[in-house]
């Protein structure tokens, strides 16, 4: 549960505790007042039946408790509404910040890939394919990786629907070079957490490639 959710629960608990404390205080105050008046009446008029006075003050006590509960219930509802609104605003702000952070990271990664594609010496740093892949093909793989990274970024920030994303995947999978890149990097994705965004998108690409006829 998020920190905001915990704060909301604590606010509700505090409101309930305030209602209980207020009701208990009113009951105690009225009960004490009733006993004091009864004792005073007995002292002033020993022969007077004070049961009627007790009944009156019991009724007043019940009414006072009821009014206090109604007032506190209204305050609690307003407090809950305000806390819920604040929670929604905070969650929206956190979501926006997360998308901004992902976009910033994606931009940096794309800049690094672009430099590697333009400079063979830098491309060697990202050579994770082995010596059997010639330099020209490595730069092509880097470009394929940039295309895939762009789709992954769109998926992470929710800027495209899953249906549209599937369409984009089908387009890039038409390229024999992209399918070759995908086969060469299969082991790179083997250790991804199953529920991660990249793993989910990777399974989508796998399905699309598996649907294509061999050749």
């Amino acid at each position: 549960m998020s920190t905001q959710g915990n704060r909301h629960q604590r606010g509700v608990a505090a409101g309930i505790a305030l209602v209980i404390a207020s009701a208990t205080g009113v009951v105690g105050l009225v009960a004490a007042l009733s006993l004091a008046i009864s004792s005073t009446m007995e002292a002033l008029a020993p022969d007077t039946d004070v049961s009627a006075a007790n009944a009156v003050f019991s009724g007043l006590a019940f009414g006072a408790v009821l009014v206090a509960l109604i007032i506190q219930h209204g305050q609690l509802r307003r407090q809950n509404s305000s806390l819920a609104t604040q929670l929604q605003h905070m969650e929206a702000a956190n979501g926006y910040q997360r998308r901004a952070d992902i976009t910033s990271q994606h931009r940096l990664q794309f800049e690094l890939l672009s430099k590697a594609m333009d400079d063979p010496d830098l491309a060697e740093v990202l050579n994770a394919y082995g010596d059997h892949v010639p330099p020209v093909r490595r730069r092509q793989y880097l470009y394929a990786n940039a295309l895939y990274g762009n789709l992954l970024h769109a998926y992470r920030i929710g800027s495209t629907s899953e249906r549209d994303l599937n369409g984009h995947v089908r387009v890039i999978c038409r390229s024999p070079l992209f399918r070759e890149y995908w086969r060469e990097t299969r082991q790179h994705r083997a250790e991804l957490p199953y529920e991660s965004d990249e793993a989910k998108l990777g399974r989508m690409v796998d399905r699309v490639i598996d649907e294509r006829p061999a050749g």
Side-chain angles (χ1 to χ4, degrees), residues 126-143:
L126 298 177
N127 179 18
Y129 313 108
D131 294 336
H132 67 284
V133 179
V136 173
R137 187 55 56 87
R138 293 173 196 167
R139 291 197 296 274
Q140 291 171 334
Y141 285 177
L142 290 176
Y143 184 73

Side-chain angles (χ1 to χ4, degrees), residues 55 58 63 76 124 143 146 209 212:
S58 295
L76 182 60
E124 283 298 318
Y143 184 73
I209 291 179
R212 294 187 59 84

Side-chain angles (χ1 to χ4, degrees), residues 7 48 53 152 207:
R7 290 176 180 172
T48 302
L152 178 60
R207 288 193 298 269

